[in-house]
Amino acid sequence: MSDPVRDHVVAVADELFYTHGVHVVTMRRVRDTARVPLKRLYEIFPSKDVLLAACLTRRDLTARAAIRQRIDAIEDPVAKALGPFDFLDDWFRQPGFHGCVFAGAFGEAGAAAPIVVTAVRTHKQALRELLTELVAKTGIRDVDAVGAQLAVLFDGAMAIATFTGDTDAALHARRAAQALLDTAA
Amino acid sequence: MSDPVRDHVVAVADELFYTHGVHVVTMRRVRDTARVPLKRLYEIFPSKDVLLAACLTRRDLTARAAIRQRIDAIEDPVAKALGPFDFLDDWFRQPGFHGCVFAGAFGEAGAAAPIVVTAVRTHKQALRELLTELVAKTGIRDVDAVGAQLAVLFDGAMAIATFTGDTDAALHARRAAQALLDTAA
DNA sequence: TAATGGCGAGAACCGCGGTTCTCAAGGCGG
DNA sequence: CCGCCTTGAGAACCGCGGTTCTCGCCATTA
């Protein structure tokens, strides 16, 4: 099942899509960077959309793993639930930050590529579940409601950082999340 | 300065871009729908990007006007500050809701069209100022901080509704905003 | 050694869509 | 009436990029 060539291509394409944007990265460029002939590329991925979806799936996994790693050592449940926002803050301030790939991919592919839409939805859904899980550990009432609210803050910070480049967005979101967790306790 | 043909084209193109997406609406389609020859189209707008930016500017104005109209009759300052989220809720539940054009336009044009990026930023900035202005009228401390937090919630709800189709996003955002305004009072 | 079959490299195909050009119809001044 | 300029309708141009095809190389094998 695990094809090393496939994994390599997905890793390379994911990096390219994230760094330069889905639109400007052509299949030829993926070929050149991954050193894999177009022929084999199309044997593995029937179309660019399928390749993109594979990249988004990969990024969903790596992003969530990175968040979990970031909050792993935190003991206090409230601080742990706020950890994802610290993760965002770190991310936004990284020199190579170029916004959320999922937003870009969605905007470009639109309704024309259901497979991409599905990948985006899965990612957002998984993030919301992750946040809800963290809320549950704080012993707060209305776990689902507060989880959904944190998800709104999380995506809002990402949208603002992506669209306006405002690197303080994560801080605003974190402060709001803190207030919500405090009052809901 | 006010060219009726130009206004007509912008109105038509704006509607098309919003309904079908920037990507799939071609200049030919704008021509056919607006009944304006390509030649004149390109005399008014040197490129599609410029036309798109004009549409985004128009939508920024109409959207903010609609929000102001929605909250105009509300007297209580806190309820008034929550009004924009009710506006979002109404919008999300409209049959023709297709997400935020600005997100789609940004994703597609990307860094390749600075004029589009500028229009998106201006819009987001204006929304944040509108929310901050409403917060100021509640007499709350930390006007700027809470205004920024409401902006995060607003954009977050829009991102979630756009990407996942979850029409309850505005409700989550509204509840969170209410909690923030209550605790900051 | 010679047939063969997979494979890499890159050309070629093809439709699309932004942009520009052609041309004819019609109004208007002389 | 005649030339001229504007303007509309649509064809044509052009590059781009996803996708497919060609061809020659090399390894394997009888």
Side-chain angles (χ1 to χ4, degrees):
Chain A
M1 275 305 291
S2 87
D3 178 351
V5 176
R6 182 195 153 95
D7 294 345
H8 174 238
V9 169
V10 171
V12 166
D14 179 45
E15 183 64 26
L16 286 174
F17 286 149
Y18 173 65
T19 307
H20 305 287
V22 175
H23 180 67
V24 304
V25 172
T26 67
M27 291 298 269
R28 287 171 175 82
R29 188 159 180 189
V30 173
R31 170 199 66 184
D32 292 340
T33 310
R35 308 292 183 87
V36 170
L38 274 184
K39 197 179 175 187
R40 182 175 288 250
L41 228 51
Y42 278 94
E43 283 167 6
I44 305 174
F45 308 98
S47 73
K48 188 184 182 183
D49 286 342
V50 176
L51 170 59
L52 173 58
C55 292
L56 294 180
T57 300
R58 175 200 153 93
R59 189 153 284 263
D60 169 50
L61 293 176
T62 55
R64 271 165 38 224
I67 293 174
R68 289 200 181 274
Q69 190 202 334
R70 178 73 165 79
I71 67 180
D72 188 49
I74 302 175
E75 290 293 339
D76 177 63
V78 171
K80 203 180 187 76
L82 293 174
F85 296 96
D86 295 324
F87 170 83
L88 277 190
D89 191 55
D90 292 345
W91 183 32
F92 292 171
R93 296 181 196 286
Q94 274 180 15
F97 176 69
H98 278 92
C100 174
V101 213
F102 292 89
F106 189 92
E108 178 162 348
I115 189 173
V116 172
V117 174
T118 301
V120 174
R121 289 193 183 194
T122 302
H123 174 61
K124 296 296 182 193
Q125 182 67 22
L127 282 178
R128 176 171 166 177
E129 282 165 10
L130 170 56
L131 289 167
T132 302
E133 171 197 324
L134 294 176
V135 170
K137 288 187 183 155
T138 64
I140 277 177
R141 293 155 298 165
D142 295 332
V143 170
D144 289 334
V146 176
Q149 292 172 19
L150 291 196
V152 172
L153 286 171
F154 195 89
D155 283 333
M158 217 144 65
I160 289 181
T162 299
F163 296 150
T164 74
D166 177 4
T167 50
D168 288 340
L171 293 182
H172 300 311
R174 190 191 199 279
R175 241 179 281 172
Q178 173 115 51
L180 291 178
L181 291 173
D182 286 350
T183 62
Chain B
M1 275 309 292
S2 91
D3 177 350
V5 176
R6 182 196 153 95
D7 294 345
H8 175 237
V9 169
V10 172
V12 167
D14 180 45
E15 182 63 27
L16 285 175
F17 285 150
Y18 173 64
T19 306
H20 305 286
V22 175
H23 180 68
V24 304
V25 172
T26 67
M27 292 298 269
R28 287 170 176 82
R29 187 161 181 187
V30 173
R31 171 200 65 185
D32 292 340
T33 311
R35 308 292 183 89
V36 170
L38 274 184
K39 197 177 175 186
R40 182 175 286 251
L41 228 51
Y42 277 96
E43 282 166 8
I44 304 174
F45 307 98
S47 73
K48 189 184 183 184
D49 287 341
V50 176
L51 170 59
L52 174 58
C55 293
L56 294 181
T57 299
R58 174 200 154 92
R59 189 152 282 263
D60 170 49
L61 294 176
T62 56
R64 268 162 43 218
I67 293 174
R68 288 198 182 275
Q69 190 202 336
R70 179 72 167 76
I71 67 178
D72 189 48
I74 302 174
E75 289 293 339
D76 176 62
V78 170
K80 204 181 187 76
L82 293 174
F85 296 95
D86 295 324
F87 169 84
L88 276 190
D89 192 55
D90 292 347
W91 182 32
F92 292 171
R93 296 180 197 286
Q94 274 180 14
F97 175 70
H98 279 92
C100 173
V101 213
F102 292 89
F106 189 93
E108 178 163 347
I115 190 172
V116 172
V117 174
T118 301
V120 174
R121 288 192 183 195
T122 302
H123 175 61
K124 295 296 180 193
Q125 182 67 22
L127 281 179
R128 176 170 166 177
E129 282 165 10
L130 171 55
L131 289 168
T132 302
E133 170 199 324
L134 294 176
V135 169
K137 289 188 184 153
T138 64
I140 276 177
R141 294 155 296 162
D142 294 332
V143 170
D144 289 334
V146 176
Q149 292 172 18
L150 291 195
V152 172
L153 286 171
F154 195 89
D155 283 333
M158 217 144 66
I160 289 180
T162 299
F163 296 149
T164 75
D166 177 4
T167 51
D168 288 339
L171 293 182
H172 299 311
R174 190 191 199 280
R175 240 178 282 172
Q178 173 115 51
L180 291 178
L181 291 173
D182 286 349
T183 62

